[in-house]
Amino acid sequence: MEHSGFEPDLIVASPGRINLIGEHTDYNKGFVLPTAIDKYIIFKLKANGSPSTCTITSKDFLKSMQVDLGHLEKSTVAWENFMIGVLYHLKQHSNGIQGFDCEIESGLPMGSGVSSSAALECGLAFGLNELFQLGLDKEVLIKVGQKAEHDFVGTKCGIMDQFASVMSKAGKAILLDCKNLDHQYIPLTLGDYKILLLNTNVSHSLADSQYNLRREACESAVELLKETHPEVTSLREVTQGLLEASKAKLSPIQYQRCAYVIAENHRVQQAVTALQNGNLEDFGALMYASHEGLSKEYEVSCKELDFLVEFSKTHKSVLGSRMMGGGFGGCTINIIHKDAITAYVDEVSTAYQAAFNINLDYFEALPSEGTHILKA
Ligand code: GLA
């Protein structure tokens, strides 16, 4: 599908992300600790001289789409909506976009929880901002990505993935306060330990609908808590004490979801302290606690993810393990001693294959720079 003779004016690398801890806290205005990884979607872009015709080719799907900037409507083809959504929302901020040709090639495993969607959205927004010198700042591009996902793809995601994909710095994690986007870069000094992702290679179809339901459960709980505590605008302001005192107002499920979110926010802060003190054992224990909450209270795990986390508990070389991202499949993130990786991967793959008859994929993730230009 490569356009013969396609000479891009600009090449942009847009990374996937990992999240060390702080899951399902972003849309509750809480804390997260993500960073970009050394796997990217590459965008090759060129202005084509037309005022409004855009051609985007995905080398992975072997598909091409053509859109007119004057007629940006939802498509029935899933991947096209990421692109159309970005164009639509970019246009709300600038009249400067014109016709372009774009080739996309992904080095990110799709549906594995490393947010290929945010990489897709933000890479295009970032690339067009550069190509047409729109002058939009990074925060606008991040929000354009998120809005594309809300309005065109249909997932009411938080801001973590887009923020991490664009803003990350090599060797650091971002402690992001999703209430106001205040952020701090935390050095990831892991010594002899590495970040290993194990990909379950399952992506349960519940994922999107259940994601939106979790968000709704939290938001409806906040509405109820507001009746007696009008100062509460999100679960961020709810303490464990307030939750206990208000238990009778909430359904058991609402209570359970809120309890998880409040505890997870606290764990993010404890995890940062552990990292800053070089205490990786404590950090790992917090990862395990996070998984327990996601699996039992928030109920967004699945048997394949639980199996991998349980398996790791019997191996001293793994300090911590948890499901990562929205859930219902995708990857676990593991902190593992560098010398143990080969043997561990061998053992866990065999056990996983025997339990589910599914091949396990793995890769090491290096905390990396956010979206950047490869060639201008
Ligand atoms: C997905 C969403 C994020 C975040 C995570 C869960 O990746 O896109 O906004 O909510 O799930 O932490």
Side-chain angles (χ1 to χ4, degrees), residues 17 19 22-28 32 113-115 117-118 146 149-150 155-162 211 215 260 264 294 298 300 322-327:
R17 64 98 188 92
N19 184 25
E23 223 64 89
H24 289 271
T25 44
D26 60 353
Y27 54 81
N28 287 304
V32 291
V114 292
S115 202
S117 19
Q146 186 193 27
E149 189 136 347
H150 283 196
T155 308
K156 302 287 179 199
C157 63
I159 197 74
M160 168 172 77
D161 301 349
Q162 291 78 6
Y211 184 94
R215 186 173 181 150
Y260 161 76
E264 182 75 350
L294 286 159
Y298 216 64
V300 290
R322 51 183 287 277
M323 57 149 276
M324 192 180 72

Side-chain angles (χ1 to χ4, degrees), residues 265-278:
N265 269 328
H266 188 52
R267 279 191 287 267
V268 178
Q269 287 164 313
Q270 291 176 302
V272 168
T273 307
L275 267 184
Q276 286 169 332
N277 293 337

Side-chain angles (χ1 to χ4, degrees), residues 57-303:
T57 305
S58 159
K59 290 179 85 175
D60 309 281
F61 301 141
L62 295 179
K63 293 250 162 63
S64 212
M65 63 184 275
Q66 216 176 53
V67 277
D68 188 299
L69 290 170
H71 298 95
L72 294 171
E73 278 159 22
K74 245 185 174 171
S75 164
T76 49
V77 183
W79 78 275
E80 295 188 0
N81 282 319
F82 290 97
M83 309 286 89
I84 298 171
V86 166
L87 294 175
Y88 178 90
H89 283 293
L90 263 186
K91 273 189 66 187
Q92 311 306 308
H93 292 277
S94 168
N95 292 325
I97 313 172
Q98 292 168 25
F100 65 89
D101 293 339
C102 172
E103 275 186 11
I104 302 170
E105 191 165 1
S106 179
L108 280 177
M110 300 275 172
S112 66
V114 292
S115 202
S116 48
S117 19
L120 205 51
E121 295 146 9
C122 294
L124 184 64
F126 185 101
L128 294 177
N129 189 43
E130 288 297 324
L131 188 67
F132 295 115
Q133 295 292 298
L134 306 180
L136 303 174
D137 66 31
K138 284 183 175 175
E139 203 174 298
V140 171
L141 303 176
I142 289 166
K143 289 189 172 159
V144 160
Q146 186 193 27
K147 281 193 172 147
E149 189 136 347
H150 283 196
D151 301 342
F152 283 77
V153 182
T155 308
K156 302 287 179 199
C157 63
I159 197 74
M160 168 172 77
D161 301 349
Q162 291 78 6
F163 199 95
S165 185
V166 175
M167 300 295 287
S168 290
K169 291 192 195 299
K172 310 227 160 88
I174 309 176
L175 171 60
L176 173 65
D177 181 341
C178 299
K179 188 170 182 176
N180 47 25
L181 298 190
D182 279 356
H183 56 285
Q184 198 185 327
Y185 291 95
I186 311 290
L188 275 173
T189 318
L190 301 181
D192 285 339
Y193 286 82
K194 301 274 185 198
I195 300 170
L196 176 72
L197 297 195
L198 297 180
N199 187 352
T200 57
N201 279 320
V202 297
S203 176
H204 294 291
S205 57
L206 305 167
D208 282 348
S209 57
Q210 288 294 324
Y211 184 94
N212 290 347
L213 284 177
R214 292 299 177 283
R215 186 173 181 150
E216 275 165 40
C218 294
E219 287 171 354
S220 59
V222 167
E223 287 309 308
L224 292 171
L225 296 172
K226 258 187 194 163
E227 290 172 2
T228 41
H229 293 84
E231 72 283 4
V232 168
T233 60
S234 69
L235 286 182
R236 167 65 172 283
E237 287 110 31
V238 180
T239 60
Q240 193 63 39
L242 172 56
L243 181 69
E244 292 308 325
S246 313
K247 195 168 177 179
K249 281 176 116 16
L250 306 175
S251 73
I253 287 286
Q254 278 174 321
Y255 170 82
Q256 204 175 303
R257 307 293 190 239
C258 294
Y260 161 76
V261 172
I262 294 167
E264 182 75 350
N265 269 328
H266 188 52
R267 279 191 287 267
V268 178
Q269 287 164 313
Q270 291 176 302
V272 168
T273 307
L275 267 184
Q276 286 169 332
N277 293 337
N279 190 339
L280 293 182
E281 279 79 14
D282 280 6
F283 187 82
L286 290 160
M287 290 175 76
Y288 279 127
S290 168
H291 184 80
E292 187 71 9
L294 286 159
S295 178
K296 304 275 160 40
E297 291 185 304
Y298 216 64
E299 297 180 286
V300 290
S301 186
C302 59
K303 59 183 189 312

